Amino acid sequence: MRLSFRSAAMGVVLAALTSASVQMAHAADSPNPPADLKAFQKYFTDKFPKLKLKDFVNGPYSMDKGLYKQWKEKEEFPPYEFALAAGKEMFEKPFKNGKTFADCFPHKGIGIRQNYPYFDEKQGKVVTLELAVNQCLESNGEKPLSYTKDDMASVTAYMAFTSRGKPFDIKIPKDPRALAAYENGKRYFYTRRGQLNFSCATCHVQTPGNHIRAEILAPALGILNAMPIYRSAWGGMGTTSRRFTTCNSQVRAVPLTPQDDEYRDLEYYLSYVSNGLPISGPGARP
Amino acid sequence: MKNSLMRLPALVALSMLMAASATSVRAASSEDDYKAAYAAAEAANSEAGKLRNQWTTAVSALKDAKAAAAAGDFDKAVAESRKSETLSKAAIFQSNEQKDAWRKMEIR
């Protein structure tokens, strides 16, 4: 009798413990973007205690004194200047119907980069700035731009330039689809792929500041704040789409189509966890 | 000494067997061999594609297999097809393993 009482009591304790651990596991796995953001930013500020939070947007230039010096000199005659001028011209040039990009965006498209990407509840998907640019063109009877080439980089460079210094302010509305998109982006970021078995996090979380061949890896925190970028390695401008597709190729994974769900969701996740950091685009990278 | 002498015929027999098997490996592959190997590689690559994780090297090997077959080099075509299939199977394994494993890398 005593034994059965003991075993019953132990059973209750065990059940309570099991229930608690299940709840803890559940809590740990439940999507919690604000907690993710806090942990993400803490990870990087702990890893690089000498860096100010806002300096993470300068990528590898914040990780190496020599590179920082080169960058400061480069910024006197920035390599993205031509793209910026071309982008301004494209942005202001009327479409065939007389409208311009300004008619498609809030605040006439000026100083709004920090709010992209956003979750569009009508479309039920994440809308990036690049996608919004093409949706604007198509809705006005114009041909969409290539997501990876110069014209898209130029237009978004101009839009980013007008938003410089404004902190990323990405919102996740109370819509389960938005949370699902955020989670999908997070999953993509941490998933290993390609023959090299790398995830985005392998380079940009585990090893930022380290060399990979001649390059210094940028931290994931603030990595999109400088987009689009002029890359010396490319000898030209590149969009976020170009960056994602080339990252995939570099780990020997076949890139997805630019602006596929996974890429837009990835951009949503990465931008959200960089909330509060200033827009610094267009940027220049080695 | 006696032991090593006794081992000799066995070694010779083994060498002959190895040579015979090497000869059979070197036997020319036929177009049918290539077609079967290519179909298997293509199926694995397509499955990796459904998992959104094709490997560039698997795709290149498939192209090389096709080019070799077009040039009439079925040995190379079969070898490239098999290489491609092996790589795609590794990609499939990786995708399935990462379905849960990605969380291990997550910053919490």
Side-chain angles (χ1 to χ4, degrees), chain A residues 28 186 197 254 260 262, chain B residues 52 54 94 98 105-106 108:
Chain A
K186 180 165 77 176
N197 200 33
V254 174
D260 265 0
E262 289 93 332
Chain B
R52 313 282 277 167
Q54 284 170 315
Q94 182 188 49
Q98 283 293 301
M105 214 188 249
E106 185 186 354
R108 290 173 184 265

Side-chain angles (χ1 to χ4, degrees), chain A residues 28-29 39 186-187 190 192-195 197 199 252 254 260 262, chain B residues 52-57 59 87 94 98 102-103 105-108:
Chain A
D29 290 339
K186 180 165 77 176
R187 181 191 56 77
Y190 289 108
R192 291 177 182 273
R193 61 180 56 80
Q195 194 185 7
N197 200 33
S199 71
R252 299 185 190 163
V254 174
D260 265 0
E262 289 93 332
Chain B
R52 313 282 277 167
N53 186 27
Q54 284 170 315
W55 289 5
T56 52
T57 40
V59 174
L87 290 167
Q94 182 188 49
Q98 283 293 301
W102 70 267
R103 286 200 178 273
M105 214 188 249
E106 185 186 354
I107 299 173
R108 290 173 184 265

Side-chain angles (χ1 to χ4, degrees), chain B residues 24-39:
Chain B
S24 69
V25 166
R26 264 190 255 118
S29 301
S30 68
E31 189 171 358
D32 285 346
D33 294 337
Y34 155 68
K35 280 181 179 168
Y38 189 86

Side-chain angles (χ1 to χ4, degrees), chain B residues 64-108:
Chain B
D64 291 346
K66 211 170 200 174
D73 186 349
F74 293 112
D75 281 346
K76 190 180 176 193
V78 167
E80 289 296 332
S81 298
R82 286 183 184 153
K83 181 175 147 192
S84 177
E85 186 188 2
T86 304
L87 290 167
S88 287
K89 282 185 172 170
I92 293 162
F93 175 84
Q94 182 188 49
S95 288
N96 290 328
E97 188 260 347
Q98 283 293 301
K99 272 179 189 161
D100 296 315
W102 70 267
R103 286 200 178 273
K104 288 179 194 162
M105 214 188 249
E106 185 186 354
I107 299 173
R108 290 173 184 265

Side-chain angles (χ1 to χ4, degrees), chain A residues 9-25:
Chain A
M10 277 177 73
V12 171
V13 171
L14 194 65
L17 279 171
T18 309
S19 162
S21 68
V22 166
Q23 278 177 10
M24 276 171 71

